[in-house]
Amino acid sequence: MPVAPVTYGASERPPRGSYEEARDDYTCDQHWERYTPLEHATYARLLARQIKQAPGQACDEFIASVDKLGPSDRIPRFDAISTALRQATGWEIVAVPGLIPEHAFFSLLAERRFPVTTWLRLPEEFDYIVEPDVFHDLYGHVPLLFDPVFADYMQAFGRGGLKAHGLQALEYLARLYWYTVEFGLVSTPHGLRVYGAGVLSSVGEIQYALTSPKPQRLAFDPKRVLLTPYKIDHYQSSYFVVDSFDQLFAATAPDFAPLYAELNGQAPLPNDAMLGGERSYPPNISNPKA
Ligand code: HBI
Ligand code: FE
């Protein structure tokens, strides 16, 4: 007799990281009614602060779509965003209780369903949080799903992830996700811009990624990315720069299986040093307070 899932009352939310209300595909309901006034206010403060950083630093495609998240004074309703998103690129967002296993994650992306965490960081976590919360997922990831080419890339990534799963190549794909979807930069005629969600949603890293002399900014190359480890709780020592989302999509179009076979067993490459012949993009001139 299957155990009935635990249900919580309208006002109380399961503790962070509990998956009792998740369905088999790890999705759950958002339960928008459970958010407290403090949570709405925290989200509004995060958004107001981060959106100030967008002009001159976030890529044009992000700027063009960030308003589609809806009202800025409260946590948006996922189904309201999905209505607009379906019309734009056939994507929708689905609620999840937090990080979900790779296979479930890739399966959702392959179906054009982006998993968005339901819980929001606490006020004391305002400046930094390791795990993705609803602000990181909505503000960092969702606006670019309105861009047709990036939307195609994300679905291709999901499909690639399902294939990689069988080939024990998840570590390679996690690096591709990390250095593009989470921490990617794009080169434009006006200088470098950010498209990676982890940078867009970070109060300090967006300026660092674009203007600090410390990190290296390497031309995006699938082999280099797949062999370069990353750090999850520091600013990055390396960022990878694409010329366009078309280039990103084209790079992931071919079947990666031969690439995995070629790289298998090769030692990781340094994320804090350049290889012979590599060049680093110069940082942007310090961003005049936009
Ligand atoms: N789960 N909810 C959620 N969000 C993510 O960004 C996420 C995940 N599970 C796995 C994962 N990301 C990474 O391992 C990706 O590289 C696949
Ligand atoms: Fe993310």
Side-chain angles (χ1 to χ4, degrees):
M1 171 71 169
V3 177
V6 176
T7 52
Y8 287 77
S11 60
E12 55 179 319
R13 177 187 304 282
R16 184 192 295 190
S18 73
Y19 290 68
E20 295 150 356
E21 295 185 316
R23 290 176 279 267
D24 290 350
D25 62 0
Y26 283 90
T27 63
C28 61
D29 296 332
Q30 181 184 11
H31 284 296
W32 189 83
E33 71 289 347
R34 288 178 181 167
Y35 292 122
T36 64
L38 174 62
E39 286 176 313
H40 286 302
T42 303
Y43 176 91
R45 278 178 53 223
L46 282 163
L47 181 61
R49 180 177 68 174
Q50 212 52 32
I51 198 79
K52 280 201 200 99
Q53 299 239 41
Q57 301 192 110
C59 64
D60 292 345
E61 296 82 352
F62 176 87
I63 305 259
S65 299
V66 65
D67 290 344
K68 298 190 174 78
L69 293 179
S72 55
D73 62 345
R74 73 198 76 141
I75 296 171
R77 292 172 188 268
F78 294 179
D79 51 10
I81 297 175
S82 289
T83 302
L85 190 54
R86 266 187 220 101
Q87 274 186 338
T89 57
W91 274 84
E92 63 180 23
I93 57 179
V94 289
V96 290
L99 286 173
I100 61 177
E102 258 92 357
H103 191 270
F105 182 69
F106 291 134
S107 303
L108 290 170
L109 297 188
E111 295 160 0
R112 291 199 172 223
R113 301 167 78 205
F114 189 80
V116 175
T117 300
T118 51
W119 57 265
L120 181 74
R121 69 190 73 183
L122 299 170
E124 51 269 34
E125 299 170 302
F126 194 75
D127 285 341
Y128 181 69
I129 186 163
V130 183
E131 275 194 46
D133 70 340
V134 63
F135 177 73
H136 165 84
D137 282 338
L138 279 183
Y139 181 81
H141 286 285
V142 172
L144 285 184
L145 292 174
F146 282 88
D147 176 81
V149 180
F150 196 81
D152 287 349
Y153 172 67
M154 287 296 279
Q155 181 176 34
F157 185 88
R159 288 177 173 154
L162 292 174
K163 270 195 269 179
H165 204 259
L167 302 169
Q168 270 70 49
L170 286 182
E171 188 177 6
Y172 290 133
L173 258 226
R175 289 172 180 164
L176 179 64
Y177 191 82
W178 189 267
Y179 282 119
T180 59
V181 180
E182 292 296 354
F183 289 88
L185 304 183
V186 57
S187 171
T188 80
H190 311 292
L192 297 176
R193 293 294 182 267
V194 176
Y195 72 89
V199 187
L200 287 167
S201 58
S202 156
V203 66
E205 194 157 0
I206 197 165
Q207 188 96 10
Y208 172 85
L210 293 174
T211 62
S212 167
K214 287 201 203 101
Q216 51 193 26
R217 299 167 180 89
L218 306 175
F220 174 80
D221 167 72
K223 277 190 201 168
R224 182 52 156 114
V225 168
L226 266 55
L227 285 175
T228 305
Y230 55 84
K231 317 174 198 176
I232 66 163
D233 49 6
H234 291 77
Y235 287 175
Q236 298 306 304
S237 309
S238 287
Y239 295 92
F240 286 88
V241 182
V242 293
D243 295 325
S244 66
F245 293 154
D246 285 319
Q247 179 205 1
L248 192 57
F249 181 66
T252 49
D255 175 17
F256 269 30
L259 188 54
Y260 296 144
E262 182 193 338
L263 299 181
N264 196 19
Q266 284 192 30
L269 297 175
N271 58 30
D272 52 4
M274 278 192 274
L275 306 176
E278 280 187 330
R279 67 181 179 95
S280 181
Y281 284 73
N284 287 350
I285 313 293
S286 230
N287 182 34
K289 270 283 157 227

